[in-house]
Amino acid sequence: MKPAPFVHHAPRSVEEAIAVLGEVGHDGKILAGGQSLIPILNMRLASPGHLVDINRVDGLSDITVEDGWVRVGALVRHRALERSDEAHAAQPVLRQALVNVAHPAIRNRGTTVGSIVHADTAGEMPAILALTNGVVEMVGQAGRRETSWEDFFLGALESSCGPQELAVAVRFGRFVEGTGTAFLESARRSGDYALAGVGVAVTVTDGTVSGARASFVSLTDVPSVLDLDPHLTGVEPGSGEWALALDAVAEAVRAHVEPESDLHASAEYRRMLAGELTRRALTQATRTAHSTQGQPARTAHSTEGRGERDD
Ligand SMILES: Cc1cc2nc3c(=O)[nH]c(=O)nc-3n(C[C@H](O)[C@H](O)[C@H](O)COP(=O)(O)OP(=O)(O)OC[C@H]3O[C@@H](n4cnc5c(N)ncnc54)[C@H](O)[C@@H]3O)c2cc1C
């Protein structure tokens, strides 16, 4: 199918993009990588009269590692962020999750910010924004504002980014020294949207866990974080107590998530996956947490996910 007719706008600056969005009002839609929007237009699930194509806008393609953040501009493609060694060193869970996003062709074009604004809870990066306590920066008619991930995600495919606002960047938080991360998911085929996915961050101090959290893909209505401290704080990874604590974590995760049944998997199967993936991810994450002990202060969480896809 082909999209309904639309007027194509190609602003060169953020100011110009905001001006066009103001003129066209609710009949306008921002076009970034087009990997979600174009299929929607082609299937005529939406028929905006104006597309505001931001691909020529200056100043939106930077990845910047700052003190507490990895800042990612609106035109940074998934693949560029995945390949950024600087971003990986500062926040390893980004690459760990990104290698699971679709296929390379889609990651070459799709933007990480677009994926977050699209707010699909089957997407990996909304969950990673939540896991890292991230922030979204937006510009609109009233100027610049930023909002925490908790206030940004309102529902499935619904965010607080208004129709006349442009998300100019997202900032992923970095973790404290001694933190390991992991991201694991299960999909029917490599590159498919996940049946279930889990990102975790675990901080180990003096041999025992001092903080742990998890976030979820395809398992909740909006991105959410589960605090695992009650189950893991003070526990030594790999000990007998650790195995029991992981049982309790898996049970807490199964109680926390709210998966739905569809033609790909039942809710019960997804719930089982959620508990098991969290258990495995935590064990992976603690390995990196141990190895970051004693390194210069930087990220707090890190781990090599299910193995980076070499594609
Ligand atoms: C076959 C296929 C498989 C996929 N599999 C996965 C997957 O496994 N995991 C996954 O996470 N994603 C997957 N995707 C989606 C992909 O990650 C998209 O790139 C991403 O969801 C949207 O980014 P985009 O830059 O393409 O945004 P677009 O498609 O251009 O836009 C998406 C929406 O966000 C809005 N928008 C985009 N950028 C901005 C901005 N800066 N400010 C305000 N609004 C904005 C648009 O108006 C639109 O409503 C898949 C896509 C395809 C086609």
Side-chain angles (χ1 to χ4, degrees), residues 29-30 32-37 78 102 106 110-111 114-115 117 123-124 167 193:
K29 212 72 181 112
I30 289 173
Q35 298 305 299
S36 295
L37 183 59
H78 292 308
I106 290 158
T111 64
S115 167
V117 177
E124 286 79 4
Y193 280 103

Side-chain angles (χ1 to χ4, degrees), residues 235-236 238-245:
V235 179
E236 180 186 347
S239 64
E241 195 189 355
W242 176 251
L244 292 175

Side-chain angles (χ1 to χ4, degrees), residues 164-298:
Q164 293 172 24
E165 283 186 306
L166 170 66
V168 288
V170 296
R171 299 202 308 271
F172 296 96
R174 298 172 67 187
F175 296 120
V176 298
E177 186 183 8
T179 305
T181 60
F183 183 89
L184 296 176
E185 70 175 41
S186 176
R188 290 177 71 92
R189 294 171 306 187
S190 172
D192 278 6
Y193 280 103
L195 297 176
V198 179
V200 301
V202 189
T203 306
V204 176
T205 309
D206 297 331
T208 63
V209 173
S210 57
R213 56 203 261 125
S215 70
F216 307 96
V217 176
S218 296
L219 290 165
T220 54
D221 279 349
V222 286
S224 73
V225 168
L226 183 62
D227 179 6
L228 304 178
D229 288 2
H231 307 289
L232 295 179
T233 299
V235 179
E236 180 186 347
S239 64
E241 195 189 355
W242 176 251
L244 292 175
L246 289 187
D247 286 345
V249 165
E251 196 177 325
V253 166
R254 286 193 294 268
H256 172 80
V257 298
E258 299 169 322
E260 290 183 6
S261 298
D262 60 21
L263 77 166
H264 301 298
S266 68
E268 210 34 54
Y269 182 63
R270 286 189 154 102
R271 203 181 291 281
M272 182 279 295
L273 280 177
E276 195 52 37
L277 290 172
T278 309
R279 186 200 298 272
R280 294 182 192 185
L282 284 166
T283 298
Q284 281 195 13
T286 55
R287 287 189 204 122
T288 318
H290 281 305
S291 69
T292 61
Q293 294 277 317
Q295 287 187 0
R298 53 175 188 95

Side-chain angles (χ1 to χ4, degrees), residues 145-161:
R145 72 180 179 104
E146 64 179 50
T147 186
S148 70
W149 70 270
E150 283 161 302
D151 294 330
F152 186 73
F153 297 114
L154 302 179
L157 301 177
E158 198 185 354
S159 81
S160 75
C161 186

